[in-house]
Amino acid sequence: MADWVASWIEQSGYAGIALMMMLETVFPPIPSEIVMPLAGLEAQRGSISLLGGILAGTAGAMAGNFFWYSLARRIGKNRFKPLVERHGRFFTLTWSEIERGDRLFDRYDRWFVCLGRMVPTIRSLVSIPAGLFEMRALPFLLWSTTGTLGWTALLATAGYMLGDQYAAVGRYLNPASNVVLALLIGGYLYRVATWKPR
């Protein structure tokens, strides 16, 4: 996949970076841990600027983030309630847990959105509770962009500094991503297996 992504970025430049990061946010199997270090590598080679690559990656990711936020906000918490009550085992949630999560999100929404963008795997999911719990659009865009900018800058700068050794970024981050993913899947399966209707 890395060779294909590298070829795409080389041919398409900033637009290619933005498109790949948008797809990465909407369709996670295209990982930012590959896209942005390769953008940094292209910046080191002189075909694009590092700042331009970071801004393109951030813009693309935010387009995907806003897509999920808008979709979740359109559904809304009230429309989500019948689904939770009917398919509680599938969601592994009760409505009281949703309401408790809503109250907690109201207190820490900015921190959750900003810092969540910097956590592998979690970063792709942050927009859903933000939209579902009706976080206002302007704070969502501000804090989400801040976190996304930090993440893309970190990856692109690492790729820029490492040059042809950019793959080292993935070697360090992929295990962390796998751990987070394993914890999410393990927690979900445990909740499904031990689910008791209330």
Side-chain angles (χ1 to χ4, degrees):
M1 179 182 285
D3 291 340
W4 177 75
V5 172
S7 176
W8 176 263
I9 292 175
E10 187 177 352
Q11 293 175 23
S12 307
Y14 301 118
I17 295 168
L19 180 61
M20 295 294 277
M21 287 299 288
M22 183 186 71
L23 292 175
E24 181 267 341
T25 306
V26 175
F27 189 64
I30 304 173
S32 60
E33 291 87 340
I34 291 178
V35 177
M36 290 314 300
L38 283 168
L41 176 61
E42 286 301 311
Q44 191 214 48
R45 291 173 174 172
S47 59
I48 62 171
S49 73
L50 179 60
L51 178 60
I54 291 170
L55 293 178
T58 300
M62 282 306 301
N65 293 338
F66 195 70
F67 165 79
W68 285 118
Y69 166 82
S70 300
L71 183 63
R73 181 142 189 177
R74 184 175 180 82
I75 294 171
K77 193 176 77 168
N78 291 334
R79 288 184 183 175
F80 194 53
K81 184 175 182 178
L83 292 174
V84 172
E85 291 178 340
R86 184 176 302 173
H87 305 289
R89 178 184 289 275
F90 174 75
F91 290 106
T92 68
L93 289 169
T94 64
W95 188 246
S96 63
E97 289 172 328
I98 294 286
E99 291 184 321
R100 190 161 58 246
D102 191 0
R103 290 191 295 269
L104 194 64
F105 189 84
D106 285 344
R107 292 178 61 187
Y108 302 109
D109 55 356
R110 297 177 179 183
W111 292 106
F112 177 80
V113 167
C114 183
L115 298 179
R117 294 294 180 204
M118 302 182 195
V119 180
T121 305
I122 296 292
R123 59 182 301 277
S124 298
L125 306 174
V126 167
S127 299
I128 295 174
L132 204 61
F133 296 142
E134 298 182 344
M135 182 179 186
R136 289 185 298 119
L138 189 58
F140 169 79
L141 289 171
L142 174 64
W143 292 103
S144 191
T145 300
T146 300
T148 300
L149 180 63
W151 178 251
T152 55
L154 174 69
L155 295 179
T157 302
Y160 183 88
M161 295 177 67
L162 289 168
D164 289 330
Q165 301 299 315
Y166 73 90
V169 178
R171 284 200 298 271
Y172 285 104
L173 287 178
N174 286 342
S177 300
N178 292 337
V179 167
V180 173
L181 184 60
L183 288 173
L184 289 173
I185 293 174
Y188 174 77
L189 292 176
Y190 174 79
R191 293 264 300 180
V192 169
T194 60
W195 179 256
K196 293 180 180 178
R198 299 177 186 176

